[in-house]
Amino acid sequence: INAHGTNEFAVPAEGKVGDGSRGWRMSSRSFLLPVSAILTMIVAGCASETLVGGKPVENQERYDEYTEGDARPIPSPEERRLDAASEAVKRDRGTQLLRDMEWLVAQKELAVPAILAAMPAASARARSNYLYVLGYSKLPAARQALLESLNDEDTIVRFEAASGLLNQGETATIPVLIGFLSSPEKQVRFKAIESLRLGTGKDFEFKFAAGEDLRNASIARWNDWWDSEKHRLMTRSTKSR
């Protein structure tokens, strides 16, 4: 708005620029531009630019395609790394797999959404590894995934579910792990006694590679102990939730 109270911008009068006398004046062909039009242009310009994390999206078309339908935000670098590590668990082996899982465990609750998203399409081997990681989380969603996996058709998946729940303080899975001590597979017996030892502080001299008679004698001691302690342990487990 100029000094005359109109929405006009002063422009050089035709033929008067630089004559040293008149300078700037309102021309009969003054450029009229309402303030409302200026604001409309500014708003239109802002509306066309999407900000993510305070910065403009580099590829608006790609952003629109990614978010179409459910308005999902573009994942952050941290979220992409979590997704990549979760997917790597499906294919990696040996030392690299161990590093993947240790890294996911270190992320604690942050890793849970990526793992839960990857589990449905994963193999039994990958699901068992995911459950191992979830056993270190206190999130209800992690606990629910462990509980649901107790009925999985795969032995190692069921074991990791029971072991993960005991790691969370759920003592009701102790008899499930005791049952794994009778497994015909030496690896399963080893994992079961290690989980029980870690969760209860006891082993009743169970040797996973011992003869069947010695193993059965130790298993009988485990069952006797559970019968005498289950009420106390399960009450304590319920109070700790």
Side-chain angles (χ1 to χ4, degrees):
I1 300 175
N2 61 26
H4 301 285
T6 61
N7 295 334
E8 296 179 331
F9 290 105
V11 297
E14 188 174 9
K16 298 296 183 179
V17 177
D19 64 359
S21 59
R22 300 293 298 275
W24 292 79
R25 68 178 178 84
M26 295 301 298
S27 167
S28 60
R29 296 187 298 167
S30 297
F31 177 61
L32 303 178
L33 188 63
V35 173
S36 60
I38 299 173
L39 293 175
T40 300
M41 292 172 61
I42 294 173
V43 172
C46 293
S48 65
E49 182 176 69
T50 303
L51 300 182
V52 175
K55 298 180 180 180
V57 172
E58 293 183 1
N59 190 325
Q60 182 68 41
E61 183 178 351
R62 186 167 164 227
Y63 177 85
D64 292 339
E65 180 181 353
Y66 183 87
T67 59
E68 184 178 0
D70 59 357
R72 294 175 297 165
I74 291 179
S76 67
E78 292 78 12
E79 289 171 327
R80 288 198 294 269
R81 187 177 179 189
L82 286 165
D83 289 341
S86 297
E87 288 298 317
V89 169
K90 296 179 180 180
R91 62 177 184 273
D92 287 343
R93 298 289 190 276
T95 304
Q96 184 57 52
L97 174 61
L98 181 60
R99 283 198 291 265
D100 295 338
M101 294 172 62
E102 288 177 342
W103 187 82
L104 287 169
V105 168
Q107 306 315 302
K108 299 181 180 180
E109 280 67 27
L110 294 176
V112 172
I115 289 174
L116 295 179
M119 280 188 67
S123 65
R125 183 190 70 85
R127 291 200 310 277
S128 68
N129 290 330
Y130 288 139
L131 292 171
Y132 172 85
V133 176
L134 292 178
Y136 287 90
S137 171
K138 299 296 185 181
L139 287 181
R143 183 175 182 274
Q144 185 61 33
L146 290 164
L147 286 170
E148 292 175 357
S149 297
L150 286 173
N151 296 318
D152 196 275
E153 61 183 15
D154 185 84
T155 300
I156 298 300
V157 170
R158 293 197 306 274
F159 165 78
E160 291 295 352
S163 180
L165 287 165
L166 180 57
N167 191 51
Q168 293 183 351
E170 183 57 77
T171 55
T173 61
I174 288 176
V176 178
L177 293 167
I178 292 174
F180 282 117
L181 296 177
S182 300
S183 173
E185 299 180 38
K186 188 181 295 186
Q187 178 190 13
V188 175
R189 297 198 301 267
F190 169 75
K191 290 170 71 70
I193 190 57
E194 288 300 305
S195 181
L196 285 166
R197 185 182 291 118
L198 182 63
T200 68
K202 303 181 182 299
D203 66 12
F204 296 109
E205 299 180 354
F206 183 86
K207 308 296 181 185
F208 73 93
E212 185 175 359
D213 291 341
L214 290 175
R215 297 200 311 271
N216 287 340
S218 178
I219 292 171
R221 295 175 63 189
W222 270 107
N223 286 322
D224 289 343
W225 171 80
W226 174 248
D227 288 340
S228 65
E229 296 291 328
K230 63 183 177 182
H231 178 73
R232 179 181 66 83
L233 291 172
M234 292 183 69
T235 300
R236 185 181 67 183
S237 175
T238 301
K239 290 181 178 179
S240 65
R241 290 178 192 168

